[in-house]
Amino acid sequence: MIFIDVRASRSYQVHIGQGILPGLGQSARELCPKAERFVLVTDDSIAPLWGAETLDNLKDSGLTGTMYVLPHGEASKTAEQLIRLLEHMTSCRLTRSDLVVALGGGMTGDLAGFAAAVYMRGIAYIQVPTTLLAAVDSSVGGKTAVDLSAGKNLMGAFWQPSGVLCDTEVLNTLPDEIFTDGCAEVIKYAVLFDGGLFSLLEREGKAFPREQVIAQCVSFKRDVVGEDERDSGGRRGLLNLGHTLAHAIETCSDFSVSHGRAVAIGTAVICRAAAKNGLCAPEVPERVCALLEKFGLPTKTDIPLDRLMEPMLSDKKHAGSRISLVVPEKLGLCSMQSMDDQALYHFMEAGM
Ligand code: MG
């Protein structure tokens, strides 16, 4: 088992290892000693696999609570679903000392975390990521949100969890498609921070050592969250590599392109564009695209750039009339480039 300390406005630990889920109730009591009630939030793909066991486990520890099941998929990350969940929490008479447990992937964690952030002006929550993507990215760092029709995560809050409990045995039961999706974020970390991790992924492919690589990714995230918790122009912004285009692809495809696949395309486009603009060597997009393909991830989209511009321009990475793009210099080292809308179009065009 690996423990990683995250220092932020609320400090907490991320636990990564096998067989963590059976100890969830006990951990919840230790992390939130005042809690008497909980709502376990999950989705209808996870509930049949882990729902009953997790609910019983929490109850066996002496807590009282219910399971709340969302329809799976990004389409559920809406203000309507948020209100329904909040109404459910009031009907369960959750108080300010009680607890939300998010069991699921990015959608569940973002929505349940946001519900915890706003319910009675903020109550505790614990993240139990069940996907690789949630484990390495969305469950850590306290970004919570729902989507609006103009784009992803436009309504949200920074609200740190009380703990993140990542059971690698749960991740092993993922369908290959969901696992592959998370690999896009793992590859993103390698491009951003660690040429050694990149080579390891080239060597091992999808057989990479789970605990070690997840812990490595969480450590990178911990470092940037510690320096720039609220993503206000500092190093946390680096995690947006490929994400401006990715969010636009997700929005334009009505979420038929998953987040991980959209991030893969976004990362590939940025790397190609950076090489064409002389910011990195041609070797960077060549190796990045080869690695993405080795993992079964896409590197191109059919959606024309003209359609993608609108959602890209409403992306949160905008400050005034300029947008910040994360651009590779070499494998394991990236920097931020600020550009206006027109420059963004020309830059992206070179990478499509
Ligand atoms: Mg992401």
Side-chain angles (χ1 to χ4, degrees), residues 74 76-79 82 106-115 117 125 142-148 152-159 316:
E74 183 73 21
S76 288
K77 228 176 89 175
T78 60
L82 171 74
M107 181 280 288
T108 302
D110 283 10
L111 177 69
F114 189 37
Y125 74 113
K143 279 192 179 178
T144 72
V146 296
D147 302 335
L148 297 178
K152 278 196 53 157
N153 300 331
L154 292 180
M155 176 177 177
F158 288 94
W159 189 245
K316 299 181 304 310

Side-chain angles (χ1 to χ4, degrees), residues 133 137 185 188 239 243 247 259 263:
L133 193 146
D137 187 24
E185 297 279 5
K188 179 195 79 175
L239 300 180
H243 276 60
H247 289 165
H259 182 65
V263 168

Side-chain angles (χ1 to χ4, degrees), residues 237-252:
L238 288 170
L239 300 180
N240 293 322
L241 174 64
H243 276 60
T244 299
L245 187 65
H247 289 165
I249 291 170
E250 291 180 81
T251 303
C252 287

Side-chain angles (χ1 to χ4, degrees), residues 45-56:
S45 67
I46 296 297
L49 297 173
W50 304 100
E53 185 183 320
T54 309
L55 185 63
D56 288 347

